[in-house]
Amino acid sequence: MTTLDNPPAETTEAANPTNTFDVEALVRPDRVHGSVYTSPEIFRRELEQIFRKGWVYVAHDSEVPEPGDYITRMMGQEPVIVARGKDGQVRVLANRCAHRGNRLCNAEQGNATSFRCPYHGWTFSNEGPLVAVPMRNGYADRYDSLRGELGLTPAARVDTYRGFVFASLAPTGISLLEHLGRSTDAIDRLLALSPAGELQLGAGHMKHFQNCNWKMVMENNVDGYHALFTHKSVYDAVRPAKVSHQPAKVKVLVRDLGGGHSEIDYSEEYEKLDEEFVWFGRSPREKLPAYVSAMEAAYGPERTHHSLVVGPPHTLIFPNLFLAEMNIMTVDLLAADRTVAYTTPALLKGAPELNGKMLRRTEGAMGPAGFLIADDGEIGFRNQRGLAARGSEWLQLSRGLESDLDNETGTVNYDKSSETPQRGFWREWARVMGASA
């Protein structure tokens, strides 16, 4: 059993009979305790166990395409700068002046060979070393040694998979590929829609403040049960739907990929229909001639047809990356009950014709006046508020438990409304949170 010195106030006697934190008492195979969404103590432990020790998605390398390009991001609640040096390497550096701890870079993005602290003017290369200190004589003969010691702290480990940049603040642990496991298939599936096999995430991010725990945001993305109800207004307004949302009428499955990664997979239903672009408003290929031509030149007619039939993935990569079909989502963690969701369209390199239409679709679905995120944000807020009520303090995740099937792709369930993805998410959460601090 893993314990914390200061257990969450919301924890019940059943979950916390000895005034200690017991992860096994909070996560069971078919349910989770409500305090996992509300407890500040659990939130603090997540920052350490998940967002410092594990692999975290920080950026896509297309967001810093040129030497000197940088963006600022958060790893948990730790600010970092993702910068491409003149050597072409993408680095993840602590956004903290090595002098007095001031946040060094306050812009969201830009191009600079160095960063100058607004407090006392210390200046650092965009590759990390300290390069200048005003009035250096104040450090006498110690200046050279000081300069050599006080660079920006790099993330302990940085690695990429097909342009997706991940970092870990822990010097040891499993490799990125081990962390990603089966979820690499989802990234490959998305990039198979690009004639160049690459993304260009250059459209900027939409930010949605959400009054709920970060896990509600991420879990909800692979919840196939809620769409008919939470998003009813969407389906009333947008007809026909890409496929029926009645589980009995379609061959759509949910899948626990292992490692906390999970997805809703429409590919079998799309292959049965054998119709291109069902996932893109059933746009006929005649309306995208340049894109289809570029795809066939890159991959050939047969492979192109398959990619255009099965479309993009709908996959959550633990803990903070969601491949939202033709959008990319990640989250900033503000507090146990406050989150910011960042969304950007997954623009494809070599596909300007498709990208133009994709921007409009992203605005309609994900924008401030769009359908989907507004609905999900309101439901997240109501979830968080509802958890304040005491009484039945467990949340049920047992739907479809008896019909889960294990195969070479993970644990699957052909009932889209099954809570198989959520059970996989919480299994990994419990494993990581229960590990030694």
Side-chain angles (χ1 to χ4, degrees):
M1 181 174 69
T2 303
T3 61
L4 291 176
D5 293 336
N6 301 304
E10 296 86 347
T11 304
T12 65
E13 181 179 354
N16 188 16
T18 60
N19 202 33
T20 58
F21 179 89
D22 180 357
V23 72
E24 294 181 3
L26 296 173
V27 179
R28 297 177 182 172
D30 62 349
R31 69 192 68 181
V32 295
H33 191 266
S35 63
V36 299
Y37 297 103
T38 60
S39 164
E41 186 68 14
I42 292 174
F43 179 75
R44 285 191 288 273
R45 186 173 178 83
E46 289 175 332
L47 296 176
E48 182 66 24
Q49 295 293 98
I50 298 174
F51 289 90
R52 276 195 65 84
K53 295 183 177 179
W55 287 103
V56 177
Y57 170 69
V58 291
H60 191 272
D61 67 6
S62 64
E63 296 179 89
V64 288
E66 302 295 331
D69 285 350
Y70 70 86
I71 54 176
T72 52
R73 291 286 160 77
M74 301 291 288
M75 291 182 65
Q77 290 192 323
E78 301 190 37
V80 296
I81 304 170
V82 182
R84 188 181 293 275
K86 62 183 178 183
D87 58 359
Q89 181 179 343
V90 175
R91 294 175 174 82
V92 179
L93 305 166
N95 191 2
R96 168 188 169 129
C97 178
H99 176 215
R100 299 275 283 274
N102 201 267
R103 189 171 69 178
L104 185 64
C105 180
N106 291 285
E108 292 186 351
Q109 61 182 34
N111 184 285
T113 57
S114 62
F115 302 106
R116 187 172 188 266
C117 180
Y119 195 6
H120 299 99
W122 283 35
T123 302
F124 301 84
S125 158
N126 66 353
E127 297 178 1
L130 174 64
V131 295
V133 173
M135 297 175 280
R136 54 189 282 184
N137 291 340
Y139 297 98
D141 293 339
R142 294 181 291 113
Y143 176 74
D144 286 340
S145 62
L146 193 72
R147 181 178 171 186
E149 296 170 4
L150 297 181
L152 300 180
T153 302
R157 293 181 292 159
V158 178
D159 203 352
T160 66
Y161 183 79
R162 302 199 66 178
F164 288 86
V165 182
F166 296 80
S168 172
L169 300 176
T172 60
I174 62 173
S175 70
L176 176 61
L177 278 179
E178 288 172 317
H179 167 71
L180 294 175
R182 296 186 179 106
S183 72
T184 57
D185 290 346
I187 295 176
D188 295 342
R189 179 175 165 182
L190 175 60
L191 295 182
L193 293 169
S194 163
E198 298 178 32
L199 295 183
Q200 287 185 316
L201 303 190
H205 285 77
M206 291 177 288
K207 305 173 192 173
H208 292 81
F209 177 82
Q210 301 205 14
N211 283 297
C212 65
N213 184 273
W214 68 275
K215 300 185 292 299
M216 287 184 185
V217 178
M218 300 310 291
E219 275 183 287
N220 178 67
N221 290 322
V222 285
D223 182 322
Y225 195 13
H226 77 293
L228 273 176
F229 311 100
T230 303
H231 302 303
K232 184 177 185 300
S233 62
V234 179
Y235 301 122
D236 287 346
V238 181
R239 291 180 183 278
K242 56 185 179 182
V243 296
S244 171
H245 290 278
Q246 295 287 351
K249 297 181 179 179
V250 294
K251 201 168 185 179
V252 177
L253 61 87
V254 289
R255 178 182 289 117
D256 166 14
L257 294 160
H261 319 307
S262 58
E263 63 184 1
I264 301 174
D265 188 357
Y266 295 89
S267 61
E268 288 193 29
E269 178 68 13
Y270 290 165
E271 286 178 313
K272 185 180 72 177
L273 297 172
D274 195 28
E275 181 182 345
E276 295 177 347
F277 296 112
V278 175
W279 48 274
F280 201 69
R282 286 190 158 85
S283 180
R285 62 161 44 203
E286 291 74 20
K287 289 192 174 183
L288 296 164
Y291 170 63
V292 173
S293 177
M295 285 289 288
E296 292 188 338
Y299 302 115
E302 186 175 344
R303 189 173 166 190
T304 294
H305 176 69
H306 179 262
S307 294
L308 300 185
V309 167
V310 300
H314 190 108
T315 304
L316 163 63
I317 297 179
F318 188 88
N320 68 330
L321 173 61
F322 176 44
L323 307 180
E325 303 190 20
M326 296 312 296
N327 293 278
I328 305 296
M329 175 188 285
T330 188
V331 289
D332 271 358
L333 287 63
L334 303 184
D337 59 353
R338 286 179 289 144
T339 305
V340 177
Y342 289 74
T343 309
T344 188
L347 302 181
L348 305 171
K349 187 174 183 178
E353 189 176 52
L354 186 72
N355 289 342
K357 296 178 184 295
M358 200 186 310
L359 278 171
R360 303 290 83 79
R361 291 177 63 85
T362 294
E363 291 166 355
M366 306 292 194
F371 288 111
L372 297 176
I373 289 190
D375 290 343
D376 289 330
E378 178 64 20
I379 284 296
F381 168 68
R382 296 182 189 186
N383 272 355
Q384 198 75 35
R385 293 298 295 269
L387 289 170
R390 302 295 181 91
S392 178
E393 298 184 344
W394 292 89
L395 283 70
Q396 286 291 320
L397 296 174
S398 63
R399 187 174 178 82
L401 189 61
E402 295 79 6
S403 51
D404 279 351
L405 303 168
D406 291 330
N407 64 26
E408 70 281 3
T409 69
T411 300
V412 303
N413 196 306
Y414 279 91
D415 180 348
K416 179 187 170 188
S417 69
S418 170
E419 286 157 338
T420 309
Q422 287 68 37
R423 289 191 287 274
F425 180 95
W426 283 105
R427 188 181 306 112
E428 178 66 8
W429 184 92
R431 186 190 70 78
V432 176
M433 290 288 283
S436 299

